[in-house]
Amino acid sequence: MPLLFNKILEKLQRKLPPSSVLLLPGECFFGRSFPLPDGVTDAEVQEFAELSLEGISPFPIDQLAWGYLHHADSKHIYIYAASLGRLRQLGFDNLASYEQVIPSFAASYGIRFKEAVVFASISGTTLSAVYLSAHNPVPTKVVSILIPEDKREGPILRDFASTWLKSLDTKGYAIDKAPWECSAPEVYHDGLKLHIATESSEAPRGEDLIFGAKGVRLWDVDVRDTAFAQRQIRQRSLSARIWTVARVGAYTLLVLIALQFISWGLHGWNWWRTAKIERRREEVSKVERNLDMINRITDITGQQMKPFAMLNETNLNRPANIYFTRVNSKSWNELEVEGRATSLDEVNQFVDGLRNSPMVKGVINDQPKIRNGRAEFRLLFTFNELPDLPEPAPSTTDATPTTPPPTSAP
């Protein structure tokens, strides 16, 4: 998901108007290097550069497009300036519309040599001779010319650059034979990424190719005035914050969308589970009903009516003066008996005896009465599980009658 989002952002950025960098012709500029006073701070370099430029410029500073090259490791700066009037004559009258505006020779910034060297820098139609001291990317001198139209391509251009470089005063500097071809830098985060092509082994690498890194302040190189630079810094800082907030918001939106899809998925899964349970519930109810029916059948099978066993248990405890007139088996473990006795005491003793029997669960005595001098009663016995009565054993005597032996007369 983050990779997809980054691709979308890259496409959106490509659709935005490109951040253009203007390379002004180096031949429009005059310049000079100035040693930095001891103890000068980075904050004071800007003021030092402005005062130094006022001392050498034939124009008021507000009529100049100017800047300077400086590095934290360098003990000097290179200040350059061009007349705004001359730039307008050449068609450069809307400098505020560009992301950055720098002289063409500044596109070769960042090159270092182990010794003092002068090299040819080619940018557009401008050829510049850049003088560098050992291990220092800040020029000590820059000379620029407009390349003749018939000398602007291929080997002819390289031969022309080499011949022209040898015609200059290069005392104290070795001449680098390979020309450096510089194309327009591109905006890179808070700086400019330089594009330099050369056959030299001294080609800069990494952060040396980025204005805004390693002690190089981007707006020191830009030729527009300080007030414009301050406004741009504020606007770009605000834009960067807005863009950051937009990215964070977009990531948050993606997370929320992902969570919503997860929520929908869980809801769907829960619905599926609930529907499945509902479908199974009827099946479970059917199984439960079947089990209940089986249990009932089992109970009915195991609880067969045993009237004779119940009657047998009753007769075992029946006194001789009590006899039954009517017997009714009401359920598998209930026996209703009606009978007569000589007295109520005998009935009560009979009932108490059965209540103490382990086979009898309970006895209900339905208000015995005295009629014609005898007690009449109705009893309801409830029995526990009764064993089956044993089958009668077969007789061991012959069923055929035998004739008794004759007896003699007296």
Side-chain angles (χ1 to χ4, degrees):
M1 186 68 74
L3 293 177
L4 176 62
F5 176 66
N6 288 333
K7 289 181 180 180
I8 293 174
L9 287 180
E10 290 176 2
K11 289 182 180 179
L12 290 175
Q13 287 177 332
R14 285 197 293 268
K15 291 182 179 180
L16 294 174
S19 300
S20 56
V21 178
L22 176 62
L23 292 180
L24 293 173
E27 63 270 20
C28 297
F29 289 83
F30 62 92
R32 179 179 168 184
S33 64
F34 289 87
L36 291 171
D38 293 336
V40 66
T41 63
D42 289 341
E44 296 171 338
V45 172
Q46 170 81 22
E47 297 178 3
F48 173 78
E50 186 173 348
L51 292 174
S52 300
L53 178 60
E54 288 178 345
I56 65 170
S57 174
F59 303 98
I61 198 168
D62 58 353
Q63 297 180 15
L64 295 175
W66 69 280
Y68 60 92
L69 291 172
H70 169 57
H71 194 277
D73 297 336
S74 177
K75 294 185 178 180
H76 70 273
I77 62 174
Y78 183 78
I79 303 173
Y80 47 83
S83 168
L84 289 174
R86 185 182 178 187
L87 292 177
R88 293 190 189 98
Q89 291 176 357
L90 295 175
F92 303 109
D93 54 356
N94 191 18
L95 301 183
S97 62
Y98 294 91
E99 188 81 8
Q100 302 293 157
V101 180
I102 62 175
S104 59
F105 55 80
S108 62
Y109 177 85
I111 301 171
R112 298 171 186 253
F113 294 92
K114 297 178 182 178
E115 58 180 344
V117 169
V118 57
F119 69 91
S121 172
I122 301 170
S123 179
T125 60
T126 299
L127 175 62
S128 299
V130 182
Y131 293 73
L132 296 177
S133 56
H135 305 290
N136 196 330
V138 180
T140 57
K141 181 181 178 182
V142 177
V143 180
S144 299
I145 62 170
L146 177 65
I147 303 174
E149 292 185 4
D150 59 344
K151 307 291 185 182
R152 294 178 180 178
E153 295 182 359
I156 297 176
L157 174 58
R158 287 191 289 272
D159 291 342
F160 173 76
S162 177
T163 301
W164 175 73
L165 202 60
K166 293 177 181 178
S167 67
L168 300 176
D169 180 11
T170 59
K171 184 178 180 180
Y173 293 87
I175 298 177
D176 187 48
K177 296 181 180 180
W180 299 69
E181 297 184 11
C182 307
S183 57
E186 62 175 318
V187 177
Y188 182 81
H189 299 298
D190 293 330
L192 294 179
K193 188 173 184 179
L194 306 180
H195 297 281
I196 304 173
T198 181
E199 299 176 358
S200 173
S201 60
E202 303 291 337
R205 298 289 186 271
E207 290 186 346
D208 284 336
L209 287 172
I210 301 174
F211 279 132
K214 281 194 170 183
V216 182
R217 294 189 299 185
L218 178 62
W219 287 100
D220 294 343
V221 185
D222 197 289
V223 300
R224 291 167 292 189
D225 60 69
T226 304
F228 178 85
Q230 293 299 325
R231 290 196 302 272
Q232 288 296 306
I233 290 172
R234 289 193 297 269
Q235 291 177 6
R236 294 181 189 182
S237 177
L238 178 60
S239 298
R241 287 195 294 270
I242 293 174
W243 185 247
T244 300
V245 171
R247 289 174 67 94
V248 172
Y251 276 119
T252 304
L253 179 61
L254 285 177
V255 171
L256 292 176
I257 292 174
L259 291 176
Q260 184 62 53
F261 275 108
I262 292 173
S263 176
W264 286 340
L266 291 175
H267 179 74
W269 179 80
N270 185 53
W271 176 85
W272 175 80
R273 290 276 298 174
T274 302
K276 186 176 181 181
I277 290 172
E278 289 297 329
R279 288 195 300 270
R280 292 293 181 88
R281 182 170 295 172
E282 180 60 30
E283 298 176 7
V284 171
S285 298
K286 185 176 180 181
V287 171
E288 289 177 347
R289 290 194 297 270
N290 291 338
L291 289 175
D292 184 60
M293 182 63 67
I294 291 172
N295 291 333
R296 284 176 156 186
I297 294 172
T298 302
D299 291 341
I300 292 172
T301 303
Q303 297 172 352
Q304 296 177 352
M305 295 183 69
K306 301 175 182 179
F308 294 104
M310 292 188 288
L311 185 59
N312 181 64
E313 182 66 26
T314 304
N315 283 328
L316 291 176
N317 295 276
R318 181 174 60 83
N321 293 328
I322 292 178
Y323 60 94
F324 300 152
T325 60
R326 184 175 177 273
V327 177
N328 179 28
S329 180
K330 301 191 70 172
S331 68
W332 71 274
N333 68 338
E334 289 184 344
L335 185 68
E336 186 180 64
V337 176
E338 294 180 8
R340 293 177 181 177
T342 58
S343 67
L344 292 177
D345 291 338
E346 289 180 346
V347 176
N348 292 331
Q349 290 176 4
F350 175 50
V351 171
D352 292 339
L354 283 173
R355 282 175 175 166
N356 293 328
S357 172
M359 297 299 181
V360 178
K361 189 175 183 180
V363 181
I364 298 176
N365 190 353
D366 188 13
Q367 297 180 354
K369 300 177 182 179
I370 300 296
R371 181 178 294 176
N372 299 326
R374 301 185 67 84
E376 294 182 357
F377 60 88
R378 180 189 297 170
L379 303 176
L380 180 64
F381 301 104
T382 303
F383 292 88
N384 294 315
E385 186 71 25
L386 292 171
D388 295 330
L389 290 175
E391 295 182 1
S395 175
T396 57
T397 61
D398 194 325
T400 303
T402 58
T403 302
T407 57
S408 57

